[in-house]
Amino acid sequence: MTSLTGFLMVAALVFSIGLAGALTRRNAILVLIGIELMLNAANLNLIAFWRYGPHPEALTGMMFAIFSIAVAAAEAAVGLGLVIQIYRHAKTTDLDQMNRMKG
Amino acid sequence: MSFVFYLLAALTVAGGMAAVLLKNTVHCALALTVAFAGLAFLFLDLDAQFAGFAQILVYIGAVAILVVFAILLTKGSETPQDGVFSSTWLAGLAIAAAVFAVLGWAVLGSARVLPHESAVPTVTVKDIGVALMGRYVLPLEIVAILLTAATIGAVIVAMHEKEEPQ
């Protein structure tokens, strides 16, 4: 197993853990945590391919990862704002009880 | 594959598993911080110093704190009586396992053609700054607009609505 394969396997494992968390937890905040783990796993893939790719001096993978970190931060802010507003409205963050779109 | 890599991989995966499996939501947020730190150290292990420190600043410094604030503002730290997993958890677990199986199959199947050891790239923070101000200046500006819009949007969404006069 080469180094790149090891990093890709770790990223696949973290992605699957995040997906399992996003799909199985009831709490909306825990679902967001799962999504953050998935985004981080994708970043690890980008950095690993940048490091072992043919042209690391072109910085393509690194730039992609940096922009991905910025977009993930924006996503976390808006997502948690939405969760707080839903909690104020429905008095719960339990996704199993949020089964209607009407307020 | 060095000993450091296995240590960091174990730390990251254990943090991720704990973040997903623990019952108390505050403990989940703390475990998430461990997973983020493990990923940052993996970035450093990959000679991506800038991305590693950006990961520490953005994820451990901002996103983890934001998650903790959201948990405290929503009484999310109370463990619900009827379990922490949703009613369809078995299907979710099966989907995640299937995704991991496909990803692992693809990675291990292509291990032969993937590039092997290569020279350590000599990229300094100055190079990254020059690239951000040169070739990647348009994405940088778009990210700046996105962050501004997201900040304003998050504040507006989470702001208290005024009571309508009857």
Side-chain angles (χ1 to χ4, degrees):
Chain A
M1 196 152 88
T2 63
S3 298
L4 179 56
T5 318
F7 282 105
L8 294 184
M9 284 309 284
V10 171
L13 202 51
V14 173
F15 184 89
S16 307
I17 292 168
L19 184 63
L23 290 177
T24 59
R25 292 301 293 241
R26 297 169 75 107
N27 192 324
I29 296 171
L30 268 299
V31 173
L32 275 172
I33 285 179
I35 292 170
E36 291 295 332
L37 279 175
M38 286 196 273
L39 281 164
N40 267 292
N43 282 347
L44 181 57
N45 263 0
L46 292 172
I47 297 276
F49 276 115
W50 165 77
R51 168 69 177 77
Y52 291 102
H55 297 293
E57 70 281 355
L59 284 172
T60 321
M62 173 79 104
M63 285 298 154
F64 213 132
I66 289 168
F67 288 123
S68 162
I69 288 174
V71 173
E75 173 262 337
V78 175
L80 291 169
L82 283 172
V83 169
I84 289 171
Q85 188 61 20
I86 288 171
Y87 173 76
R88 273 208 204 108
H89 194 79
K91 298 286 169 244
T92 180
T93 54
D94 189 339
L95 292 172
D96 274 4
Q97 293 175 26
M98 288 180 208
N99 46 16
R100 58 194 184 132
M101 292 183 82
K102 191 165 173 290
Chain B
M1 304 306 278
S2 64
F3 172 71
V4 174
F5 168 77
Y6 285 113
L7 197 70
L8 293 176
L11 179 78
T12 309
V13 172
M17 294 279 273
V20 166
L21 291 174
L22 286 178
K23 279 194 162 55
N24 189 318
T25 322
V26 178
H27 295 172
C28 290
L30 295 178
L32 180 75
T33 314
V34 173
F36 284 161
L39 280 160
F41 293 140
L42 281 176
F43 287 176
L44 294 180
D45 194 31
L46 279 166
D47 302 302
Q49 282 87 3
F50 185 76
F53 288 118
Q55 167 90 2
I56 291 176
L57 281 176
V58 174
Y59 276 99
I60 301 174
V63 172
I65 302 295
L66 210 58
V67 167
V68 171
F69 265 108
I71 289 168
L72 297 180
L73 284 173
T74 58
K75 286 195 219 162
S77 52
E78 293 168 6
T79 310
Q81 283 83 29
D82 41 356
V84 292
F85 294 104
S86 78
S87 48
T88 55
W89 65 273
L90 201 59
L93 199 64
I95 291 169
V99 167
F100 177 67
V102 171
L103 285 175
W105 171 74
V107 168
L108 293 179
S110 60
R112 216 164 31 80
V113 292
L114 284 175
H116 287 273
E117 301 299 317
S118 62
V120 177
T122 51
V123 170
T124 60
V125 178
K126 190 182 169 196
D127 294 333
I128 294 171
V130 167
L132 275 176
M133 283 297 136
R135 193 173 162 207
Y136 297 97
V137 71
L138 189 65
L140 184 75
E141 295 299 322
I142 294 171
V143 161
I145 295 170
L146 174 79
L147 283 173
T148 314
T151 316
I152 297 170
V155 168
I156 288 174
V157 162
M159 205 159 51
H160 256 306
E161 285 172 30
K162 283 195 183 125
E163 294 293 322
E164 300 269 327
Q166 297 295 317

